[in-house]
Amino acid sequence: MLSPLTDAADDGIRVRPTELQLCVVGDDLREAVATACGERDDYALETVPSLSAAQEAGSDADCLVVPAAALGGDERTTEDADCHGGDGTVAFDEPMIVVTDGSDTVTAPRHERRLTDVLERDTLERLPARAWDLVERRRLAALSRRSLASVELVGESIAIVTPDGEIQFASRSLAVRFGYDLETLSGTDWRALFPDATVDRLESTAIPTVADDWRWTGGCTAMRRDGETFPVQLRLGGLADGSLVFVVESGDDGPER
């Protein structure tokens, strides 16, 4: 039988913040951001003169709002260059929104472990929604990583799949079970783990069930990287952002529950 999902305990990263702390680089940009946020009461703004100043201050901001000129090219100052790694990455962990003036040719700065978005100055009315989206995606990613670390301790074969269908996180036991290296498995489409008939079944039955906020359990056929198939018991659940959680156990094909 199907069982409803229960709410997770409130313990920090599981809880969506009620107010975003935005760190804006430059007084001029702050004025534009304040106008974009309007009368909303779910924001707090702080201003720093440069990226390096934000780094030195140890800002507790949830999201950086940065003019494109501070990130690279001929307009980058020596001070802000100190915030960039040798490969052009930006040395911050917070999500970041880059603001261009329409004439900038930058798209998105190269980054590691970063959620970055780019907005033109004349579309800053979109900034509040974009900032919330970036912070929520970071929160859910952190929760996913912590959950995966915990199941590693008990040897669960588990994968967390993005709404686009790519495997974002996978446990070592799942990689071994399916004949993959962890590095190779990351970014793989989940459909590569099952023969076509199983994929059709999961897409028509299991995934819609999860989309309705239920868990799905059933026996099905899985497929190793070399094409060999084997029976498994699959548990399928969902996260708030539309990601899927696959838990694979050994077993013969059995009834859905």
PDB file of all heavy atoms in Angstrom, residues 63-87:
ATOM      1  N   CYS A  63      22.957  35.508  -0.126  1.00  0.00           N
ATOM      2  CA  CYS A  63      23.162  35.659  -1.565  1.00  0.00           C
ATOM      3  C   CYS A  63      23.939  36.937  -1.839  1.00  0.00           C
ATOM      4  O   CYS A  63      23.653  37.978  -1.240  1.00  0.00           O
ATOM      5  CB  CYS A  63      21.811  35.687  -2.285  1.00  0.00           C
ATOM      6  SG  CYS A  63      21.905  35.777  -4.096  1.00  0.00           S
ATOM      7  N   LEU A  64      24.930  36.863  -2.727  1.00  0.00           N
ATOM      8  CA  LEU A  64      25.681  38.032  -3.166  1.00  0.00           C
ATOM      9  C   LEU A  64      25.034  38.620  -4.417  1.00  0.00           C
ATOM     10  O   LEU A  64      24.581  37.880  -5.286  1.00  0.00           O
ATOM     11  CB  LEU A  64      27.119  37.649  -3.494  1.00  0.00           C
ATOM     12  CG  LEU A  64      28.018  37.205  -2.329  1.00  0.00           C
ATOM     13  CD1 LEU A  64      29.307  36.611  -2.885  1.00  0.00           C
ATOM     14  CD2 LEU A  64      28.317  38.361  -1.410  1.00  0.00           C
ATOM     15  N   VAL A  65      24.987  39.939  -4.489  1.00  0.00           N
ATOM     16  CA  VAL A  65      24.512  40.632  -5.689  1.00  0.00           C
ATOM     17  C   VAL A  65      25.675  41.492  -6.162  1.00  0.00           C
ATOM     18  O   VAL A  65      26.097  42.421  -5.468  1.00  0.00           O
ATOM     19  CB  VAL A  65      23.266  41.489  -5.397  1.00  0.00           C
ATOM     20  CG1 VAL A  65      22.757  42.118  -6.685  1.00  0.00           C
ATOM     21  CG2 VAL A  65      22.172  40.644  -4.744  1.00  0.00           C
ATOM     22  N   VAL A  66      26.190  41.185  -7.357  1.00  0.00           N
ATOM     23  CA  VAL A  66      27.488  41.710  -7.773  1.00  0.00           C
ATOM     24  C   VAL A  66      27.401  42.301  -9.175  1.00  0.00           C
ATOM     25  O   VAL A  66      26.840  41.668 -10.078  1.00  0.00           O
ATOM     26  CB  VAL A  66      28.544  40.578  -7.780  1.00  0.00           C
ATOM     27  CG1 VAL A  66      29.919  41.116  -8.138  1.00  0.00           C
ATOM     28  CG2 VAL A  66      28.565  39.863  -6.434  1.00  0.00           C
ATOM     29  N   PRO A  67      27.958  43.509  -9.408  1.00  0.00           N
ATOM     30  CA  PRO A  67      28.029  44.024 -10.772  1.00  0.00           C
ATOM     31  C   PRO A  67      29.030  43.216 -11.590  1.00  0.00           C
ATOM     32  O   PRO A  67      30.050  42.758 -11.073  1.00  0.00           O
ATOM     33  CB  PRO A  67      28.500  45.473 -10.575  1.00  0.00           C
ATOM     34  CG  PRO A  67      29.224  45.455  -9.269  1.00  0.00           C
ATOM     35  CD  PRO A  67      28.529  44.441  -8.416  1.00  0.00           C
ATOM     36  N   ALA A  68      28.731  43.038 -12.874  1.00  0.00           N
ATOM     37  CA  ALA A  68      29.591  42.214 -13.720  1.00  0.00           C
ATOM     38  C   ALA A  68      31.019  42.730 -13.757  1.00  0.00           C
ATOM     39  O   ALA A  68      31.966  41.947 -13.863  1.00  0.00           O
ATOM     40  CB  ALA A  68      29.013  42.155 -15.132  1.00  0.00           C
ATOM     41  N   ALA A  69      31.196  44.046 -13.642  1.00  0.00           N
ATOM     42  CA  ALA A  69      32.544  44.624 -13.720  1.00  0.00           C
ATOM     43  C   ALA A  69      33.451  44.143 -12.598  1.00  0.00           C
ATOM     44  O   ALA A  69      34.676  44.212 -12.722  1.00  0.00           O
ATOM     45  CB  ALA A  69      32.451  46.151 -13.700  1.00  0.00           C
ATOM     46  N   ALA A  70      32.875  43.663 -11.491  1.00  0.00           N
ATOM     47  CA  ALA A  70      33.692  43.214 -10.364  1.00  0.00           C
ATOM     48  C   ALA A  70      34.212  41.797 -10.542  1.00  0.00           C
ATOM     49  O   ALA A  70      34.981  41.319  -9.715  1.00  0.00           O
ATOM     50  CB  ALA A  70      32.873  43.289  -9.074  1.00  0.00           C
ATOM     51  N   LEU A  71      33.822  41.135 -11.629  1.00  0.00           N
ATOM     52  CA  LEU A  71      34.116  39.706 -11.747  1.00  0.00           C
ATOM     53  C   LEU A  71      35.211  39.350 -12.726  1.00  0.00           C
ATOM     54  O   LEU A  71      35.736  38.254 -12.685  1.00  0.00           O
ATOM     55  CB  LEU A  71      32.848  38.948 -12.142  1.00  0.00           C
ATOM     56  CG  LEU A  71      31.764  38.935 -11.066  1.00  0.00           C
ATOM     57  CD1 LEU A  71      30.509  38.296 -11.611  1.00  0.00           C
ATOM     58  CD2 LEU A  71      32.245  38.212  -9.826  1.00  0.00           C
ATOM     59  N   GLY A  72      35.540  40.229 -13.643  1.00  0.00           N
ATOM     60  CA  GLY A  72      36.575  39.842 -14.593  1.00  0.00           C
ATOM     61  C   GLY A  72      36.673  40.804 -15.738  1.00  0.00           C
ATOM     62  O   GLY A  72      35.957  41.798 -15.822  1.00  0.00           O
ATOM     63  N   GLY A  73      37.561  40.499 -16.657  1.00  0.00           N
ATOM     64  CA  GLY A  73      37.759  41.364 -17.811  1.00  0.00           C
ATOM     65  C   GLY A  73      38.620  42.561 -17.447  1.00  0.00           C
ATOM     66  O   GLY A  73      39.184  42.680 -16.374  1.00  0.00           O
ATOM     67  N   ASP A  74      38.682  43.513 -18.335  1.00  0.00           N
ATOM     68  CA  ASP A  74      39.550  44.675 -18.139  1.00  0.00           C
ATOM     69  C   ASP A  74      39.095  45.559 -16.998  1.00  0.00           C
ATOM     70  O   ASP A  74      39.874  46.328 -16.450  1.00  0.00           O
ATOM     71  CB  ASP A  74      39.593  45.507 -19.430  1.00  0.00           C
ATOM     72  CG  ASP A  74      40.244  44.740 -20.572  1.00  0.00           C
ATOM     73  OD1 ASP A  74      41.013  43.817 -20.268  1.00  0.00           O
ATOM     74  OD2 ASP A  74      39.963  45.060 -21.738  1.00  0.00           O
ATOM     75  N   GLU A  75      37.794  45.469 -16.635  1.00  0.00           N
ATOM     76  CA  GLU A  75      37.279  46.369 -15.620  1.00  0.00           C
ATOM     77  C   GLU A  75      37.513  45.854 -14.203  1.00  0.00           C
ATOM     78  O   GLU A  75      37.209  46.533 -13.240  1.00  0.00           O
ATOM     79  CB  GLU A  75      35.785  46.603 -15.843  1.00  0.00           C
ATOM     80  CG  GLU A  75      35.465  47.267 -17.174  1.00  0.00           C
ATOM     81  CD  GLU A  75      33.965  47.444 -17.333  1.00  0.00           C
ATOM     82  OE1 GLU A  75      33.436  48.497 -16.910  1.00  0.00           O
ATOM     83  OE2 GLU A  75      33.332  46.543 -17.870  1.00  0.00           O
ATOM     84  N   ARG A  76      38.033  44.626 -14.053  1.00  0.00           N
ATOM     85  CA  ARG A  76      38.203  44.077 -12.720  1.00  0.00           C
ATOM     86  C   ARG A  76      39.334  44.785 -11.997  1.00  0.00           C
ATOM     87  O   ARG A  76      40.426  44.958 -12.524  1.00  0.00           O
ATOM     88  CB  ARG A  76      38.506  42.578 -12.808  1.00  0.00           C
ATOM     89  CG  ARG A  76      38.433  41.892 -11.444  1.00  0.00           C
ATOM     90  CD  ARG A  76      38.626  40.395 -11.593  1.00  0.00           C
ATOM     91  NE  ARG A  76      40.019  40.055 -11.798  1.00  0.00           N
ATOM     92  CZ  ARG A  76      40.410  38.885 -12.291  1.00  0.00           C
ATOM     93  NH1 ARG A  76      39.541  37.993 -12.647  1.00  0.00           N
ATOM     94  NH2 ARG A  76      41.698  38.640 -12.434  1.00  0.00           N
ATOM     95  N   THR A  77      39.085  45.183 -10.769  1.00  0.00           N
ATOM     96  CA  THR A  77      40.098  45.882 -10.002  1.00  0.00           C
ATOM     97  C   THR A  77      41.086  44.898  -9.402  1.00  0.00           C
ATOM     98  O   THR A  77      40.814  43.716  -9.258  1.00  0.00           O
ATOM     99  CB  THR A  77      39.451  46.675  -8.847  1.00  0.00           C
ATOM    100  OG1 THR A  77      38.857  45.738  -7.941  1.00  0.00           O
ATOM    101  CG2 THR A  77      38.397  47.630  -9.359  1.00  0.00           C
ATOM    102  N   THR A  78      42.265  45.403  -9.032  1.00  0.00           N
ATOM    103  CA  THR A  78      43.259  44.553  -8.393  1.00  0.00           C
ATOM    104  C   THR A  78      42.722  43.986  -7.102  1.00  0.00           C
ATOM    105  O   THR A  78      42.938  42.823  -6.758  1.00  0.00           O
ATOM    106  CB  THR A  78      44.545  45.357  -8.106  1.00  0.00           C
ATOM    107  OG1 THR A  78      45.032  45.868  -9.339  1.00  0.00           O
ATOM    108  CG2 THR A  78      45.590  44.482  -7.441  1.00  0.00           C
ATOM    109  N   GLU A  79      41.971  44.804  -6.365  1.00  0.00           N
ATOM    110  CA  GLU A  79      41.426  44.353  -5.088  1.00  0.00           C
ATOM    111  C   GLU A  79      40.490  43.178  -5.288  1.00  0.00           C
ATOM    112  O   GLU A  79      40.584  42.156  -4.614  1.00  0.00           O
ATOM    113  CB  GLU A  79      40.679  45.501  -4.409  1.00  0.00           C
ATOM    114  CG  GLU A  79      40.108  45.125  -3.037  1.00  0.00           C
ATOM    115  CD  GLU A  79      39.319  46.272  -2.426  1.00  0.00           C
ATOM    116  OE1 GLU A  79      38.863  47.152  -3.170  1.00  0.00           O
ATOM    117  OE2 GLU A  79      39.164  46.255  -1.193  1.00  0.00           O
ATOM    118  N   ASP A  80      39.567  43.284  -6.255  1.00  0.00           N
ATOM    119  CA  ASP A  80      38.635  42.205  -6.481  1.00  0.00           C
ATOM    120  C   ASP A  80      39.305  40.999  -7.103  1.00  0.00           C
ATOM    121  O   ASP A  80      38.839  39.880  -6.960  1.00  0.00           O
ATOM    122  CB  ASP A  80      37.479  42.665  -7.375  1.00  0.00           C
ATOM    123  CG  ASP A  80      36.475  43.519  -6.607  1.00  0.00           C
ATOM    124  OD1 ASP A  80      36.441  43.387  -5.379  1.00  0.00           O
ATOM    125  OD2 ASP A  80      35.748  44.298  -7.231  1.00  0.00           O
ATOM    126  N   ALA A  81      40.406  41.187  -7.793  1.00  0.00           N
ATOM    127  CA  ALA A  81      41.122  40.054  -8.369  1.00  0.00           C
ATOM    128  C   ALA A  81      41.612  39.106  -7.290  1.00  0.00           C
ATOM    129  O   ALA A  81      41.777  37.908  -7.526  1.00  0.00           O
ATOM    130  CB  ALA A  81      42.306  40.545  -9.208  1.00  0.00           C
ATOM    131  N   ASP A  82      41.844  39.621  -6.091  1.00  0.00           N
ATOM    132  CA  ASP A  82      42.294  38.772  -4.997  1.00  0.00           C
ATOM    133  C   ASP A  82      41.241  37.759  -4.595  1.00  0.00           C
ATOM    134  O   ASP A  82      41.543  36.779  -3.912  1.00  0.00           O
ATOM    135  CB  ASP A  82      42.659  39.627  -3.775  1.00  0.00           C
ATOM    136  CG  ASP A  82      43.881  40.494  -4.029  1.00  0.00           C
ATOM    137  OD1 ASP A  82      44.669  40.129  -4.941  1.00  0.00           O
ATOM    138  OD2 ASP A  82      44.034  41.515  -3.353  1.00  0.00           O
ATOM    139  N   CYS A  83      39.972  38.005  -4.956  1.00  0.00           N
ATOM    140  CA  CYS A  83      38.891  37.088  -4.602  1.00  0.00           C
ATOM    141  C   CYS A  83      38.752  35.966  -5.613  1.00  0.00           C
ATOM    142  O   CYS A  83      37.901  35.102  -5.461  1.00  0.00           O
ATOM    143  CB  CYS A  83      37.560  37.835  -4.514  1.00  0.00           C
ATOM    144  SG  CYS A  83      37.488  38.971  -3.135  1.00  0.00           S
ATOM    145  N   HIS A  84      39.566  35.987  -6.683  1.00  0.00           N
ATOM    146  CA  HIS A  84      39.464  34.991  -7.733  1.00  0.00           C
ATOM    147  C   HIS A  84      40.617  34.008  -7.623  1.00  0.00           C
ATOM    148  O   HIS A  84      41.749  34.377  -7.352  1.00  0.00           O
ATOM    149  CB  HIS A  84      39.502  35.645  -9.123  1.00  0.00           C
ATOM    150  CG  HIS A  84      38.317  36.518  -9.389  1.00  0.00           C
ATOM    151  ND1 HIS A  84      38.085  37.692  -8.712  1.00  0.00           N
ATOM    152  CD2 HIS A  84      37.293  36.369 -10.268  1.00  0.00           C
ATOM    153  CE1 HIS A  84      36.976  38.241  -9.160  1.00  0.00           C
ATOM    154  NE2 HIS A  84      36.471  37.460 -10.104  1.00  0.00           N
ATOM    155  N   GLY A  85      40.311  32.733  -7.848  1.00  0.00           N
ATOM    156  CA  GLY A  85      41.352  31.731  -7.870  1.00  0.00           C
ATOM    157  C   GLY A  85      42.160  31.836  -9.149  1.00  0.00           C
ATOM    158  O   GLY A  85      41.820  32.557 -10.081  1.00  0.00           O
ATOM    159  N   GLY A  86      43.224  31.068  -9.219  1.00  0.00           N
ATOM    160  CA  GLY A  86      44.066  31.100 -10.397  1.00  0.00           C
ATOM    161  C   GLY A  86      43.358  30.648 -11.658  1.00  0.00           C
ATOM    162  O   GLY A  86      43.790  30.948 -12.765  1.00  0.00           O
ATOM    163  N   ASP A  87      42.251  29.879 -11.519  1.00  0.00           N
ATOM    164  CA  ASP A  87      41.533  29.415 -12.696  1.00  0.00           C
ATOM    165  C   ASP A  87      40.315  30.271 -13.002  1.00  0.00           C
ATOM    166  O   ASP A  87      39.462  29.897 -13.798  1.00  0.00           O
ATOM    167  CB  ASP A  87      41.085  27.962 -12.503  1.00  0.00           C
ATOM    168  CG  ASP A  87      40.179  27.796 -11.292  1.00  0.00           C
ATOM    169  OD1 ASP A  87      39.966  28.785 -10.566  1.00  0.00           O
ATOM    170  OD2 ASP A  87      39.673  26.676 -11.089  1.00  0.00           O
TER     171      ASP A  87
END
